[in-house]
Amino acid sequence: MKDHSLKLSILNALAETKASSEHGFLSGEELGERFNVSRAAISKHIKGIEQWGVDIFRIQGKGYQLAQPMQLLNQQVLSDALNTPIELIPIIGSTNQHLLDRVDTLESGTACIAEFQESGRGRRGREWVSPFGSNLYLSLYWRLDAGMAAAMGLSLVVGVAIVEALEELGVEEVKLKWPNDLYYQDRKLAGILVEMSGQAGGAAHLVIGMGINIAMPKETQGITQPWASLMEAFDGELDRNQLAVTLVNTLNRVLNEYEISGMTGFVERWNRLDNFLDRPVKLIIGPKEVEGVARGINEQGAVLLETNSGVEPYIGGEISLRGKR
């Protein structure tokens, strides 16, 4: 694994300077002396940090400054606040893959969190754009003793857990889109990816990943649909470490509830948060399109659509739900 420690130390120094003085700069010479490297090495590492999606100002005679304040995640803060294991790996390929590679050795409820994903992914193999420090990239391992069949609808339960965690922190008006997205004002705020492995008749090993936009730069490239950031829905300063802790605690609690009650205990909770409830929608099922009015979900986790034929359930990994324009 490539050593990013010097880049992270430089970034932490810039973040602390930005926090203590809105107009504070650190020169290449100051940074070089602090970390015992040349100014040329500092310049090279600054360019590497910028490749993570971090915007840094350069002014000759003054040095370097973060364009925006940045609160970095802290392993000690996270570990002290949680009763379940959490691993902070600032630069990672994919938090989901990191856990998937280790399911045989993990305690149920173990989490992995990152500042930047080099190979973040969403559903159907799509890339998940992951600029450094702007968002939250978190995955959690869960052992489901009831087996893989019992995992049907799990992404819906996870969506409920995330919104309830955000509500606990004072974030309002976040909604759910079937089957695995969070929305704010009809724009995508977060995505959920549940991946699983296991043998028939045995326990299911689930890795639940989420990417939540917190303060995504407006100029972020590679996103093709309208998106929102959490700061739009929150009046105040959001602590990213507290957000991670609240999410992990809420997920552990809700997943335990799911093991006891299944989907039965979550239908009303999900429907309360349905972004498209009672609105005209279009279901994309491969080459087929079905138009109707969304009527929530049922106890199997299927989306209910009212058409001329009545209310019918639809479920399946390749179904895409879109608001009708």
Side-chain angles (χ1 to χ4, degrees):
M1 185 179 292
K2 192 173 180 181
D3 183 10
H4 297 288
S5 58
L6 182 52
K7 287 187 183 69
L8 292 168
S9 295
I10 293 169
L11 187 50
N12 191 61
L14 292 171
E16 288 177 350
T17 301
K18 183 72 173 179
S20 61
S21 172
E22 183 68 24
H23 304 292
F25 282 79
L26 284 175
S27 69
E29 184 177 1
E30 287 176 291
L31 288 167
E33 288 177 357
R34 183 180 300 194
F35 300 113
N36 198 28
V37 296
S38 67
R39 289 172 61 185
I42 293 296
S43 177
K44 179 181 177 181
H45 283 296
I46 290 287
K47 289 177 182 176
I49 293 169
E50 289 177 321
Q51 289 175 356
W52 294 342
V54 180
D55 192 7
I56 298 176
F57 292 145
R58 288 183 180 83
I59 297 182
Q60 193 160 359
K62 287 189 174 183
Y64 305 101
Q65 182 194 62
L66 291 181
Q68 300 294 332
M70 179 179 292
Q71 182 201 38
L72 299 178
L73 296 166
N74 186 294
Q75 176 72 67
Q76 194 64 53
V77 170
L78 296 170
S79 296
D80 288 349
L82 289 168
N83 295 320
T84 51
I86 186 166
E87 186 176 14
L88 169 61
I89 305 176
I91 310 298
I92 200 170
S94 158
T95 55
N96 258 34
Q97 193 61 51
H98 180 76
L99 294 183
L100 284 167
D101 291 341
R102 293 161 177 79
V103 293
D104 292 332
T105 63
L106 297 176
E107 174 186 334
S108 192
T110 296
C112 175
I113 192 169
E115 296 279 17
F116 177 79
Q117 295 185 117
E118 296 173 313
S119 308
R121 62 179 183 266
R123 289 179 77 228
R124 306 179 202 170
R126 296 190 182 107
E127 178 189 9
W128 187 269
V129 179
S130 308
F132 186 103
S134 301
N135 306 320
L136 196 67
Y137 316 113
L138 188 152
S139 296
L140 184 137
Y141 165 70
W142 193 263
R143 176 188 168 96
L144 192 62
D145 289 324
M148 296 177 72
M152 181 68 71
L154 194 73
S155 65
L156 305 178
V157 172
V158 172
V160 170
I162 296 173
V163 177
E164 290 181 350
L166 293 176
E167 289 177 335
E168 183 180 328
L169 293 170
V171 180
E172 300 178 349
E173 298 182 34
V174 176
K175 300 293 184 180
L176 294 169
K177 174 196 171 189
W178 188 91
N180 66 332
D181 290 334
L182 276 69
Y183 267 41
Y184 176 71
Q185 295 183 349
D186 278 346
R187 291 168 292 144
K188 186 169 179 174
L189 176 71
I192 299 162
L193 176 65
V194 179
E195 298 181 277
M196 70 180 76
S197 62
Q199 302 290 331
H205 299 284
L206 307 173
V207 173
I208 300 155
M210 65 197 72
I212 303 176
N213 302 335
I214 297 178
M216 185 111 83
K218 292 294 183 186
E219 62 275 11
T220 300
Q221 302 295 310
I223 304 176
T224 58
Q225 65 184 109
W227 54 270
S229 281
L230 204 52
M231 294 311 300
E232 298 177 53
F234 186 75
D235 184 19
E237 187 173 338
L238 189 66
D239 186 311
R240 292 171 71 232
N241 289 289
Q242 183 187 9
L243 173 60
V245 167
T246 304
L247 284 168
V248 172
N249 280 333
T250 305
L251 279 167
N252 275 279
R253 173 178 56 79
V254 167
L255 289 169
N256 274 308
E257 291 176 15
Y258 177 72
E259 290 215 59
I260 296 168
S261 67
M263 279 299 298
T264 304
F266 290 91
V267 173
E268 287 187 13
R269 288 159 75 177
W270 199 95
N271 287 339
R272 173 181 76 87
L273 300 168
D274 186 351
N275 188 70
F276 292 98
L277 187 66
D278 300 328
R279 293 171 61 182
V281 297
K282 178 167 61 176
L283 280 177
I284 312 298
I285 314 171
K288 181 183 175 184
E289 294 186 358
V290 181
E291 295 187 357
V293 175
R295 299 300 188 196
I297 63 168
N298 65 13
E299 292 185 2
Q300 286 71 50
V303 62
L304 301 175
L305 194 65
E306 184 174 357
T307 67
N308 292 333
S309 302
V311 177
E312 297 179 305
Y314 293 86
I315 198 162
E318 297 303 313
I319 295 176
S320 175
L321 178 67
R322 302 177 186 176
K324 185 179 176 184
R325 299 186 184 282

